[in-house]
Amino acid sequence: MKQMVNLEIANEILAQKIQSIEDEYVNLTDTHKRILSKDIISTINQPPFNRSPLDGYALISEDSKGASEENPVVLEIVEEVCAGSYPTKELKNNMATRIMTGAPIPKGADCVIRQEDTYEKDGKVYIYIELNKFQNYCFEGEDLKKGQTVIKKDSEINFGEVGIIASLGMKQVSVYKKPKVAILSTGDELLDIGEKLIPGKIYNSNIYTLSARLKELNAEPIILGICGDDIEKTSRKIENIIDEVDLVITTGGVSVGKKDIIKDVMKKINADILFWKVDIKPGTPVLCSYLKNKLIISLSGNPAASSITFELLVRPVLSQMVNKKDSKLKRTSAIFDNSYLKKSKKRRFLRGKLSYSQNGPVVKLTSSKQSSGVLSSTLKCNCLIDVPKGSTGLEKGDKVEIIPL
Protein backbone atom coordinates (compact mmCIF):
# COMPACT_ATOMS: atom_id res chain seq x y z
CA MET A 1 0.00 0.00 0.00
CA LYS A 2 1.34 3.40 -0.99
CA GLN A 3 0.90 6.32 1.38
CA MET A 4 0.61 10.05 0.79
CA VAL A 5 0.78 10.05 -3.00
CA ASN A 6 0.40 13.21 -5.06
CA LEU A 7 -2.79 13.76 -7.05
CA GLU A 8 -1.33 12.87 -10.44
CA ILE A 9 0.08 9.55 -9.13
CA ALA A 10 -3.27 8.78 -7.51
CA ASN A 11 -5.04 9.37 -10.85
CA GLU A 12 -2.53 7.14 -12.65
CA ILE A 13 -2.97 4.29 -10.13
CA LEU A 14 -6.75 4.44 -10.51
CA ALA A 15 -6.56 4.67 -14.31
CA GLN A 16 -4.62 1.40 -14.47
CA LYS A 17 -7.43 -0.43 -12.67
CA ILE A 18 -10.44 0.84 -14.58
CA GLN A 19 -12.51 -1.63 -16.59
CA SER A 20 -14.52 -0.32 -19.55
CA ILE A 21 -18.19 -1.11 -19.21
CA GLU A 22 -20.48 -2.81 -21.74
CA ASP A 23 -22.62 -1.05 -24.31
CA GLU A 24 -26.32 -1.09 -25.07
CA TYR A 25 -28.80 0.19 -27.64
CA VAL A 26 -31.05 3.01 -26.44
CA ASN A 27 -33.70 5.16 -28.09
CA LEU A 28 -32.34 8.34 -29.65
CA THR A 29 -34.42 10.43 -27.24
CA ASP A 30 -32.45 8.91 -24.34
CA THR A 31 -28.94 9.50 -25.68
CA HIS A 32 -28.23 13.06 -24.53
CA LYS A 33 -24.81 13.24 -22.79
CA ARG A 34 -24.23 9.51 -23.40
CA ILE A 35 -21.02 8.24 -25.03
CA LEU A 36 -21.17 6.45 -28.39
CA SER A 37 -19.78 2.91 -28.37
CA LYS A 38 -19.92 2.52 -32.16
CA ASP A 39 -19.30 4.87 -35.09
CA ILE A 40 -22.37 6.48 -36.66
CA ILE A 41 -22.22 5.59 -40.37
CA SER A 42 -24.55 7.38 -42.76
CA THR A 43 -26.92 4.93 -44.43
CA ILE A 44 -28.22 7.52 -46.88
CA ASN A 45 -27.14 10.59 -48.80
CA GLN A 46 -28.14 13.79 -47.07
CA PRO A 47 -30.01 15.46 -48.59
CA PRO A 48 -31.34 12.31 -50.27
CA PHE A 49 -32.08 14.20 -53.53
CA ASN A 50 -31.15 17.44 -55.27
CA ARG A 51 -33.30 20.05 -53.54
CA SER A 52 -34.20 23.70 -53.63
CA PRO A 53 -32.89 25.99 -50.86
CA LEU A 54 -35.60 28.58 -51.46
CA ASP A 55 -39.07 29.32 -52.80
CA GLY A 56 -38.98 30.13 -56.49
CA TYR A 57 -38.72 28.43 -59.88
CA ALA A 58 -36.51 25.65 -61.16
CA LEU A 59 -35.26 26.18 -64.73
CA ILE A 60 -32.45 25.60 -67.18
CA SER A 61 -29.80 28.30 -66.61
CA GLU A 62 -29.13 28.94 -70.32
CA ASP A 63 -32.76 30.02 -70.69
CA SER A 64 -32.09 32.99 -68.39
CA LYS A 65 -29.33 34.50 -70.51
CA GLY A 66 -29.97 38.18 -71.26
CA ALA A 67 -32.81 38.44 -68.76
CA SER A 68 -33.38 41.85 -67.14
CA GLU A 69 -36.23 43.90 -65.70
CA GLU A 70 -36.50 45.74 -69.01
CA ASN A 71 -36.28 42.55 -71.06
CA PRO A 72 -37.55 39.57 -68.97
CA VAL A 73 -37.34 35.98 -70.15
CA VAL A 74 -40.74 34.31 -70.22
CA LEU A 75 -41.01 30.58 -69.36
CA GLU A 76 -43.98 28.23 -69.26
CA ILE A 77 -44.79 26.81 -65.81
CA VAL A 78 -45.35 23.09 -66.29
CA GLU A 79 -45.65 21.90 -62.67
CA GLU A 80 -45.65 22.93 -59.02
CA VAL A 81 -43.62 20.96 -56.49
CA CYS A 82 -43.86 21.45 -52.73
CA ALA A 83 -41.69 19.97 -50.00
CA GLY A 84 -42.82 16.40 -49.43
CA SER A 85 -43.91 15.83 -53.04
CA TYR A 86 -41.84 14.77 -56.04
CA PRO A 87 -41.65 16.23 -59.58
CA THR A 88 -43.15 14.17 -62.40
CA LYS A 89 -42.06 16.24 -65.38
CA GLU A 90 -38.59 16.68 -66.86
CA LEU A 91 -37.79 20.26 -67.85
CA LYS A 92 -36.94 21.20 -71.41
CA ASN A 93 -35.87 24.58 -72.74
CA ASN A 94 -38.30 27.45 -72.11
CA MET A 95 -39.97 25.54 -69.25
CA ALA A 96 -39.98 26.14 -65.47
CA THR A 97 -41.29 24.40 -62.36
CA ARG A 98 -42.77 26.34 -59.43
CA ILE A 99 -40.81 25.00 -56.45
CA MET A 100 -40.83 25.43 -52.67
CA THR A 101 -37.98 25.32 -50.15
CA GLY A 102 -36.83 21.74 -49.56
CA ALA A 103 -38.62 20.30 -52.57
CA PRO A 104 -36.77 18.02 -55.04
CA ILE A 105 -35.41 19.79 -58.12
CA PRO A 106 -36.91 18.29 -61.29
CA LYS A 107 -34.80 16.47 -63.83
CA GLY A 108 -33.41 18.78 -66.49
CA ALA A 109 -33.28 21.86 -64.25
CA ASP A 110 -29.84 23.11 -63.20
CA CYS A 111 -30.70 26.19 -61.11
CA VAL A 112 -33.42 27.84 -59.04
CA ILE A 113 -34.40 31.49 -59.17
CA ARG A 114 -35.89 33.05 -56.07
CA GLN A 115 -39.48 34.17 -56.23
CA GLU A 116 -38.54 37.84 -55.56
CA ASP A 117 -36.68 37.99 -58.92
CA THR A 118 -39.70 36.89 -60.95
CA TYR A 119 -43.29 37.69 -61.81
CA GLU A 120 -45.97 35.10 -62.50
CA LYS A 121 -49.03 35.59 -64.72
CA ASP A 122 -51.33 33.31 -66.72
CA GLY A 123 -49.25 30.16 -66.23
CA LYS A 124 -46.01 31.84 -67.18
CA VAL A 125 -43.10 33.18 -65.13
CA TYR A 126 -41.15 36.30 -66.06
CA ILE A 127 -37.43 36.03 -65.22
CA TYR A 128 -35.65 39.31 -64.43
CA ILE A 129 -32.05 38.15 -63.81
CA GLU A 130 -29.50 35.79 -65.32
CA LEU A 131 -28.54 32.68 -63.38
CA ASN A 132 -25.46 30.51 -63.48
CA LYS A 133 -25.47 26.76 -63.68
CA PHE A 134 -26.21 25.20 -60.26
CA GLN A 135 -27.02 28.55 -58.66
CA ASN A 136 -29.34 28.06 -55.66
CA TYR A 137 -28.96 24.32 -56.08
CA CYS A 138 -28.42 21.85 -53.20
CA PHE A 139 -26.86 18.61 -54.40
CA GLU A 140 -27.81 15.16 -53.20
CA GLY A 141 -25.29 14.10 -50.53
CA GLU A 142 -23.64 17.51 -50.23
CA ASP A 143 -24.15 17.42 -46.44
CA LEU A 144 -23.52 13.73 -45.76
CA LYS A 145 -22.69 10.89 -48.11
CA LYS A 146 -23.85 7.30 -47.77
CA GLY A 147 -21.13 5.24 -46.05
CA GLN A 148 -19.49 8.28 -44.49
CA THR A 149 -18.45 8.11 -40.81
CA VAL A 150 -20.50 10.96 -39.39
CA ILE A 151 -19.74 10.72 -35.65
CA LYS A 152 -16.90 8.65 -34.24
CA LYS A 153 -17.26 6.26 -31.32
CA ASP A 154 -16.35 7.58 -27.86
CA SER A 155 -17.93 10.95 -28.73
CA GLU A 156 -20.39 12.52 -26.30
CA ILE A 157 -23.85 12.95 -27.76
CA ASN A 158 -25.24 16.47 -27.47
CA PHE A 159 -28.13 18.19 -29.24
CA GLY A 160 -26.19 18.60 -32.50
CA GLU A 161 -25.31 14.91 -32.67
CA VAL A 162 -28.92 13.99 -31.85
CA GLY A 163 -30.11 16.10 -34.79
CA ILE A 164 -27.61 14.53 -37.21
CA ILE A 165 -28.53 11.00 -36.13
CA ALA A 166 -32.24 11.79 -36.47
CA SER A 167 -31.65 13.12 -40.00
CA LEU A 168 -30.32 9.67 -40.90
CA GLY A 169 -33.53 8.01 -39.71
CA MET A 170 -31.85 6.09 -36.87
CA LYS A 171 -34.18 5.29 -33.98
CA GLN A 172 -31.66 3.60 -31.69
CA VAL A 173 -27.97 4.18 -30.99
CA SER A 174 -25.27 2.07 -29.34
CA VAL A 175 -23.86 3.78 -26.23
CA TYR A 176 -21.89 2.71 -23.20
CA LYS A 177 -24.06 1.76 -20.26
CA LYS A 178 -24.31 4.23 -17.43
CA PRO A 179 -21.82 3.26 -14.71
CA LYS A 180 -23.57 1.89 -11.65
CA VAL A 181 -22.06 3.46 -8.55
CA ALA A 182 -22.85 2.34 -5.00
CA ILE A 183 -22.62 5.02 -2.30
CA LEU A 184 -22.24 4.14 1.37
CA SER A 185 -21.75 6.47 4.35
CA THR A 186 -20.18 5.41 7.64
CA GLY A 187 -20.29 7.17 10.99
CA ASP A 188 -22.25 6.75 14.23
CA GLU A 189 -22.94 10.49 14.15
CA LEU A 190 -25.02 10.30 10.98
CA LEU A 191 -28.79 10.49 10.65
CA ASP A 192 -30.76 10.17 7.43
CA ILE A 193 -32.88 13.08 6.29
CA GLY A 194 -36.35 13.00 7.83
CA GLU A 195 -35.12 11.61 11.15
CA LYS A 196 -35.33 13.74 14.28
CA LEU A 197 -32.08 15.57 14.97
CA ILE A 198 -30.75 14.74 18.43
CA PRO A 199 -27.67 16.01 20.32
CA GLY A 200 -24.38 14.79 18.89
CA LYS A 201 -25.88 13.80 15.54
CA ILE A 202 -25.78 15.40 12.08
CA TYR A 203 -27.71 14.77 8.89
CA ASN A 204 -25.95 12.76 6.21
CA SER A 205 -25.53 15.16 3.28
CA ASN A 206 -22.72 13.30 1.48
CA ILE A 207 -24.90 10.56 0.04
CA TYR A 208 -27.30 13.08 -1.48
CA THR A 209 -24.60 15.43 -2.73
CA LEU A 210 -22.69 12.66 -4.47
CA SER A 211 -25.83 10.98 -5.79
CA ALA A 212 -26.94 14.22 -7.45
CA ARG A 213 -23.47 14.75 -8.94
CA LEU A 214 -23.39 11.20 -10.28
CA LYS A 215 -26.69 11.81 -12.06
CA GLU A 216 -25.27 15.00 -13.58
CA LEU A 217 -22.36 12.92 -14.89
CA ASN A 218 -24.70 10.30 -16.41
CA ALA A 219 -23.97 7.61 -13.84
CA GLU A 220 -26.56 5.58 -11.95
CA PRO A 221 -26.23 6.00 -8.18
CA ILE A 222 -27.22 3.13 -5.90
CA ILE A 223 -27.69 4.43 -2.37
CA LEU A 224 -26.70 1.95 0.33
CA GLY A 225 -27.47 4.27 3.21
CA ILE A 226 -25.62 4.59 6.53
CA CYS A 227 -23.71 1.84 8.28
CA GLY A 228 -22.41 3.62 11.34
CA ASP A 229 -18.94 2.70 12.58
CA ASP A 230 -19.54 -1.02 12.20
CA ILE A 231 -16.88 -3.17 10.50
CA GLU A 232 -19.12 -6.24 10.10
CA LYS A 233 -22.10 -4.37 8.70
CA THR A 234 -19.98 -2.23 6.38
CA SER A 235 -18.12 -5.30 5.10
CA ARG A 236 -21.37 -7.12 4.33
CA LYS A 237 -22.81 -4.10 2.52
CA ILE A 238 -19.82 -3.89 0.20
CA GLU A 239 -19.57 -7.65 -0.38
CA ASN A 240 -23.28 -7.87 -1.19
CA ILE A 241 -23.17 -5.09 -3.79
CA ILE A 242 -19.72 -5.42 -5.40
CA ASP A 243 -20.88 -7.84 -8.14
CA GLU A 244 -23.79 -5.60 -9.16
CA VAL A 245 -21.98 -2.30 -9.63
CA ASP A 246 -19.04 -0.81 -11.51
CA LEU A 247 -17.70 1.31 -8.66
CA VAL A 248 -18.16 1.72 -4.91
CA ILE A 249 -17.81 5.05 -3.09
CA THR A 250 -17.75 5.28 0.69
CA THR A 251 -17.57 8.41 2.83
CA GLY A 252 -16.15 8.65 6.33
CA GLY A 253 -13.88 6.41 8.39
CA VAL A 254 -10.66 6.97 6.43
CA SER A 255 -8.54 9.03 8.81
CA VAL A 256 -6.64 7.98 11.96
CA GLY A 257 -9.36 8.22 14.61
CA LYS A 258 -10.50 5.45 16.91
CA LYS A 259 -13.56 4.75 14.77
CA ASP A 260 -11.99 5.17 11.35
CA ILE A 261 -12.84 1.64 10.24
CA ILE A 262 -12.49 1.59 6.45
CA LYS A 263 -8.95 0.18 6.37
CA ASP A 264 -10.09 -2.66 8.63
CA VAL A 265 -13.12 -3.23 6.40
CA MET A 266 -10.90 -3.52 3.31
CA LYS A 267 -8.68 -6.04 5.09
CA LYS A 268 -11.70 -8.07 6.20
CA ILE A 269 -13.11 -8.37 2.65
CA ASN A 270 -9.61 -9.07 1.24
CA ALA A 271 -9.54 -5.98 -0.93
CA ASP A 272 -6.22 -4.82 -2.32
CA ILE A 273 -5.46 -1.40 -0.81
CA LEU A 274 -3.89 0.70 -3.58
CA PHE A 275 -3.05 3.83 -1.62
CA TRP A 276 -3.98 5.77 1.49
CA LYS A 277 -3.85 9.57 1.66
CA VAL A 278 -3.36 12.05 -1.16
CA ASP A 279 -1.11 15.06 -0.66
CA ILE A 280 -3.85 17.67 -1.02
CA LYS A 281 -6.07 19.73 1.24
CA PRO A 282 -8.92 19.34 1.93
CA GLY A 283 -9.45 15.62 1.44
CA THR A 284 -6.06 14.16 2.40
CA PRO A 285 -7.46 10.99 3.99
CA VAL A 286 -8.58 9.10 0.88
CA LEU A 287 -8.32 5.30 0.76
CA CYS A 288 -8.52 3.54 -2.61
CA SER A 289 -8.91 -0.21 -2.86
CA TYR A 290 -9.58 -2.91 -5.46
CA LEU A 291 -11.88 -5.93 -5.16
CA LYS A 292 -13.16 -8.29 -7.87
CA ASN A 293 -11.87 -5.96 -10.60
CA LYS A 294 -13.84 -3.07 -9.09
CA LEU A 295 -12.50 0.10 -7.53
CA ILE A 296 -13.60 1.13 -4.04
CA ILE A 297 -12.89 4.82 -3.44
CA SER A 298 -13.28 5.85 0.18
CA LEU A 299 -13.55 9.60 0.69
CA SER A 300 -13.45 11.80 3.75
CA GLY A 301 -16.66 12.22 5.69
CA ASN A 302 -16.24 16.01 5.75
CA PRO A 303 -18.79 17.32 3.23
CA ALA A 304 -16.65 19.79 1.27
CA ALA A 305 -13.66 17.43 1.31
CA SER A 306 -15.72 14.55 -0.09
CA SER A 307 -17.09 16.78 -2.88
CA ILE A 308 -13.64 18.02 -3.86
CA THR A 309 -11.97 14.60 -3.86
CA PHE A 310 -14.93 13.24 -5.81
CA GLU A 311 -14.16 15.75 -8.59
CA LEU A 312 -10.42 15.10 -8.49
CA LEU A 313 -10.47 11.31 -8.26
CA VAL A 314 -13.90 9.85 -9.06
CA ARG A 315 -14.90 12.00 -12.03
CA PRO A 316 -11.89 10.94 -14.17
CA VAL A 317 -12.63 7.30 -13.32
CA LEU A 318 -16.23 7.61 -14.53
CA SER A 319 -15.10 9.28 -17.75
CA GLN A 320 -12.57 6.55 -18.50
CA MET A 321 -15.12 3.83 -17.79
CA VAL A 322 -17.26 5.01 -20.70
CA ASN A 323 -14.26 5.80 -22.94
CA LYS A 324 -14.94 9.51 -22.86
CA LYS A 325 -12.39 11.14 -25.16
CA ASP A 326 -10.95 13.52 -22.59
CA SER A 327 -11.14 11.62 -19.32
CA LYS A 328 -8.40 13.67 -17.67
CA LEU A 329 -9.19 16.75 -15.62
CA LYS A 330 -9.34 19.83 -17.83
CA ARG A 331 -7.35 22.81 -16.65
CA THR A 332 -7.28 26.47 -17.57
CA SER A 333 -6.20 29.72 -15.98
CA ALA A 334 -8.04 32.77 -14.67
CA ILE A 335 -7.40 36.01 -12.81
CA PHE A 336 -8.05 35.77 -9.07
CA ASP A 337 -10.51 38.43 -7.90
CA ASN A 338 -10.11 38.01 -4.13
CA SER A 339 -7.26 37.90 -1.69
CA TYR A 340 -6.47 34.63 0.10
CA LEU A 341 -3.54 35.20 2.41
CA LYS A 342 -3.42 31.79 4.08
CA LYS A 343 -0.16 29.88 3.63
CA SER A 344 -0.48 26.41 2.07
CA LYS A 345 1.95 23.80 3.33
CA LYS A 346 0.03 21.29 1.21
CA ARG A 347 -1.38 21.66 -2.28
CA ARG A 348 -4.79 23.18 -1.68
CA PHE A 349 -8.02 23.26 -3.68
CA LEU A 350 -10.35 26.21 -3.12
CA ARG A 351 -13.96 26.39 -4.22
CA GLY A 352 -14.42 29.09 -6.83
CA LYS A 353 -16.91 30.71 -9.17
CA LEU A 354 -15.62 31.26 -12.69
CA SER A 355 -17.01 34.06 -14.84
CA TYR A 356 -15.88 36.01 -17.88
CA SER A 357 -15.11 39.69 -18.26
CA GLN A 358 -13.88 41.75 -21.21
CA ASN A 359 -10.34 40.92 -20.10
CA GLY A 360 -10.92 37.17 -19.93
CA PRO A 361 -11.77 34.58 -17.26
CA VAL A 362 -12.07 35.75 -13.66
CA VAL A 363 -12.48 33.57 -10.57
CA LYS A 364 -13.75 34.43 -7.11
CA LEU A 365 -13.99 32.37 -3.94
CA THR A 366 -17.51 31.09 -3.28
CA SER A 367 -16.97 31.73 0.41
CA SER A 368 -14.29 33.12 2.70
CA LYS A 369 -14.69 29.89 4.69
CA GLN A 370 -12.89 27.13 2.83
CA SER A 371 -12.38 24.41 5.46
CA SER A 372 -13.25 20.78 4.72
CA GLY A 373 -16.47 20.79 6.75
CA VAL A 374 -18.01 23.93 5.24
CA LEU A 375 -20.55 22.57 2.79
CA SER A 376 -21.94 26.02 2.02
CA SER A 377 -18.70 26.77 0.14
CA THR A 378 -19.95 24.47 -2.63
CA LEU A 379 -22.89 26.77 -3.42
CA LYS A 380 -22.40 28.38 -6.85
CA CYS A 381 -19.08 26.54 -7.13
CA ASN A 382 -18.24 25.81 -10.77
CA CYS A 383 -14.48 25.32 -10.51
CA LEU A 384 -11.64 24.39 -8.19
CA ILE A 385 -8.67 26.72 -7.73
CA ASP A 386 -5.41 24.75 -7.61
CA VAL A 387 -3.10 26.43 -5.08
CA PRO A 388 0.47 25.02 -5.24
CA LYS A 389 2.17 23.50 -2.21
CA GLY A 390 4.26 26.12 -0.43
CA SER A 391 2.12 29.05 -1.57
CA THR A 392 2.31 32.07 0.77
CA GLY A 393 -1.14 33.21 -0.35
CA LEU A 394 -2.98 34.66 -3.31
CA GLU A 395 -3.40 38.33 -4.09
CA LYS A 396 -6.11 39.97 -6.17
CA GLY A 397 -4.94 39.99 -9.78
CA ASP A 398 -2.83 36.85 -9.50
CA LYS A 399 -3.06 34.34 -12.34
CA VAL A 400 -4.30 31.01 -10.96
CA GLU A 401 -4.85 27.55 -12.39
CA ILE A 402 -8.39 26.21 -12.19
CA ILE A 403 -10.28 23.00 -12.91
CA PRO A 404 -13.77 23.72 -14.32
CA LEU A 405 -16.49 21.43 -12.96
Side-chain angles (χ1 to χ4, degrees), residues 96-147:
T97 295
R98 178 80 168 98
I99 196 167
M100 308 302 169
T101 302
I105 294 175
K107 188 176 181 181
D110 63 8
C111 66
V112 177
I113 189 170
R114 64 177 188 159
Q115 183 175 314
E116 294 87 335
D117 296 322
T118 66
Y119 172 71
E120 181 180 330
K121 183 179 179 182
D122 298 331
K124 298 183 183 298
V125 60
Y126 293 73
I127 306 296
Y128 294 136
I129 63 170
E130 291 188 5
L131 281 86
N132 297 318
K133 195 171 185 179
F134 301 123
Q135 188 171 339
N136 303 324
Y137 192 107
C138 295
F139 287 93
E140 176 182 351
E142 72 174 16
D143 188 2
L144 302 172
K145 297 203 179 297
K146 184 176 181 179

Side-chain angles (χ1 to χ4, degrees), residues 12 31 49 95 131 144 224 260 263 327 346 363 378 400:
E12 287 176 10
T31 60
F49 44 77
M95 298 168 64
L131 281 86
L144 302 172
L224 301 182
D260 285 315
K263 268 202 290 187
S327 60
K346 283 179 175 286
V363 65
T378 61
V400 293

Side-chain angles (χ1 to χ4, degrees), residues 314-328:
V314 179
R315 187 157 59 104
V317 167
L318 294 172
S319 294
Q320 190 174 331
M321 277 183 174
V322 296
N323 284 12
K324 200 169 183 179
K325 282 182 176 179
D326 188 1
S327 60
K328 294 184 178 180

